[in-house]
Amino acid sequence: MSSGSSQKNLPLREIPGGYGLPFFGPIKDRYDFFYNLGIDEYFRTRMEKYKSTVFRCNMPPGPFMAKDSKVIALVDAVSFPILFDVSKVEKRDIFQGTYMASTKFTGGYRVCSFLDPSEPKHAILKGLFISTMAKLHNRFLPLFSSIADDMFAQIEDEMSKKGESNYNDINDVKAFEFLFRLYCNDVKPSDTKLGTGAAKSVTTWLLPQIAPVTSFGFSWLPNFVEDLLMHTFPIPFFLVKCKYNKMYDAFYHNLGPLLDDAEKAGLKRDEACHNFVFFVCFNSYAAFKFFLPELLKHVGSAGEALHRQLAAEIRGAVELEGGKITLNALNNMPLTESAIWEALRIEPPIRYQYAKAKQDITIQSHDASYLIKKGETIFGFQPFATKDPKIFENPETYIPDRFVGDGKKLIQYVYWSNAKGTDIPGANDKQCLGREMIILLSRLFLAKLFLRYDTFTVEVSKYLFSYTVTFKSLTKVTSFA
């Protein structure tokens, strides 16, 4: 591992790359991105061609959905953090990239994720979320623990009937149940207008918003058909309006005290509710939906030797707490925590970061300086930044104990939450507020898993930004009661 550049006396280099012909260049790059090369190769070939980790390129969706697809791409760990410096970059309306979905998807409001910290309402909304998370913090462990028990019971029941169990389907339902009950006074989504299809309603609402930067990869669907349907024109809101209205009504009638807090902070109840819907269903639910399967993929594929190590650590920490999974027990599981950080590093659930330069900025990679002009769009491809070979040894390999002991110093380079891994979210930055909850509950998830089973096997297939994980075997605990 290298400590990175000295950040001194690096030569100033013109940013290489280009955008091709107007209109046709962005479309060609879009086809390369999704179909001809694939996402990773799209960036890797440019790195090799330009011999640089900073270069110009187009980012989807391009015509006709985005007015300007031109970006300056950053794919190393040293240049990447400029995207977090809100004194130098602007985050206004750039949460989804070079395009922005219609505000009809969020009740006509620009919700917090699309606001720049310089906008007064940003601090009010993010402050509300911070205070809400603090208020609900003591409910995280008992509620998630109870839901995890139900989830594993369902998985076991499905395996006894079919010989295998699709984890994603159960995880989607249980993840949304946890989040809805957490914020909505322990009301189950199935007891609202959302009914038993709540998670599917949320996914249906999510897909039109992420479709412009997504490929389903269906072999039976011609590329040009998918490109026309998903990347050329926005999917209209009216197709999911009914689903969203049910989501909004369910939250509005059950958030109760949280909307009272919002009013005290100077917000209208409906604006606050639309923000809570987005925060819970986009920011938080999407993280659980995509990351927990990725975590299972890596831990499952690592094999029985790792499982035995994790089981011994988890059971030892819980035994010291009288057999209870307490916060102190979770904080005494260094290998478990490292295994989670390593999964976040190797395949971060948030893959793309965007910002616009507020001023002329000089940035540095490992070996050169570059001038970014005011108004230019900066894009960060996070999976390459967090697998920077000049920071991480064997960067493509999942090494579960990478962040144990002195390795904890490397957490700062795991940028998965729109900040350095060691940063704490505040009202005036754009760091994801759910980061602490995701890491805490991922530890609890693994703890519940290895208190129940000695080892397991999974079958994994790629799907969208994440994976479909199927349990093929579960070996129940034989050495711990």
Side-chain angles (χ1 to χ4, degrees), residues 90-102:
E90 183 181 73
K91 294 283 192 170
R92 180 184 175 94
D93 296 341
I94 205 162
F95 172 72
Q96 291 168 322
T98 58
Y99 81 106
M100 178 180 171
S102 169

Side-chain angles (χ1 to χ4, degrees), residues 144 148 151-152 167 291-292 294-300 306-307 310-311 313-315 318 325 330 333 335-341 343 398 400 438-453 456:
F144 190 85
M151 177 176 66
F152 287 123
Y167 168 74
F291 176 62
L292 287 182
E294 289 175 354
L295 178 62
L296 263 183
K297 172 226 175 183
H298 288 295
V299 173
L306 173 63
H307 299 172
L310 289 171
E313 177 181 85
I314 289 166
R315 296 168 192 179
V318 170
I325 306 178
L330 294 175
M333 301 176 184
L335 176 60
T336 305
E337 183 175 3
S338 176
I340 293 163
W341 277 108
Y398 179 76
I438 293 295
I439 293 172
L440 174 67
L441 296 183
S442 294
R443 278 185 283 170
L444 178 56
F445 173 76
L446 289 182
K448 298 293 288 186
L449 177 66
F450 285 108
L451 287 173
R452 196 173 183 116
Y453 311 106
F456 63 94

Side-chain angles (χ1 to χ4, degrees), residues 189-229:
S190 58
D191 293 333
T192 71
K193 290 182 179 180
L194 287 168
T196 56
K200 289 183 178 178
S201 292
V202 175
T203 300
T204 300
W205 168 76
L206 280 171
L207 282 176
Q209 300 174 76
I210 65 173
V213 292
T214 305
S215 172
F216 287 113
F218 295 142
S219 57
W220 51 266
L221 184 65
N223 292 341
F224 76 91
V225 174
E226 182 189 86
D227 193 63
L228 180 65
L229 294 175

Side-chain angles (χ1 to χ4, degrees), residues 280-313:
V280 173
C281 298
F282 199 116
N283 300 129
S284 303
Y285 171 70
F288 281 107
K289 178 180 177 66
F290 293 126
F291 176 62
L292 287 182
E294 289 175 354
L295 178 62
L296 263 183
K297 172 226 175 183
H298 288 295
V299 173
S301 301
E304 188 171 349
L306 173 63
H307 299 172
R308 296 288 178 181
Q309 289 179 286
L310 289 171
E313 177 181 85

Side-chain angles (χ1 to χ4, degrees), residues 316-436:
V318 170
E319 195 167 26
L320 289 175
E321 295 293 311
K324 296 180 180 179
I325 306 178
T326 64
L327 185 60
N328 189 55
L330 294 175
N331 287 334
N332 284 298
M333 301 176 184
L335 176 60
T336 305
E337 183 175 3
S338 176
I340 293 163
W341 277 108
E342 178 69 343
L344 288 166
R345 179 196 73 82
I346 204 163
E347 283 180 299
I350 301 170
R351 296 167 65 85
Y352 312 139
Q353 297 291 348
Y354 288 86
K356 282 187 179 289
K358 288 182 176 180
Q359 60 198 50
D360 288 357
I361 307 169
T362 300
I363 65 164
Q364 293 184 335
S365 65
H366 289 287
D367 49 18
S369 298
Y370 302 89
L371 177 63
I372 297 175
K373 296 291 186 67
K374 179 180 178 179
E376 291 191 297
T377 300
I378 310 168
F379 162 78
F381 186 52
Q382 199 154 275
F384 277 20
T386 54
K387 289 184 284 191
D388 187 332
K390 294 188 177 180
I391 298 294
F392 297 101
E393 294 180 3
N394 300 316
E396 299 290 337
T397 303
Y398 179 76
I399 302 175
D401 62 352
R402 188 186 295 274
F403 299 103
V404 173
D406 286 344
K408 290 194 76 171
K409 297 175 183 177
L410 292 172
I411 288 177
Q412 66 178 303
Y413 296 106
V414 184
Y415 303 136
W416 78 275
S417 65
N418 199 12
K420 293 182 178 180
T422 49
D423 290 346
I424 303 299
N428 295 310
D429 61 38
K430 295 301 291 183
Q431 185 173 14
C432 174
L433 284 175
R435 57 152 279 162
E436 295 297 334

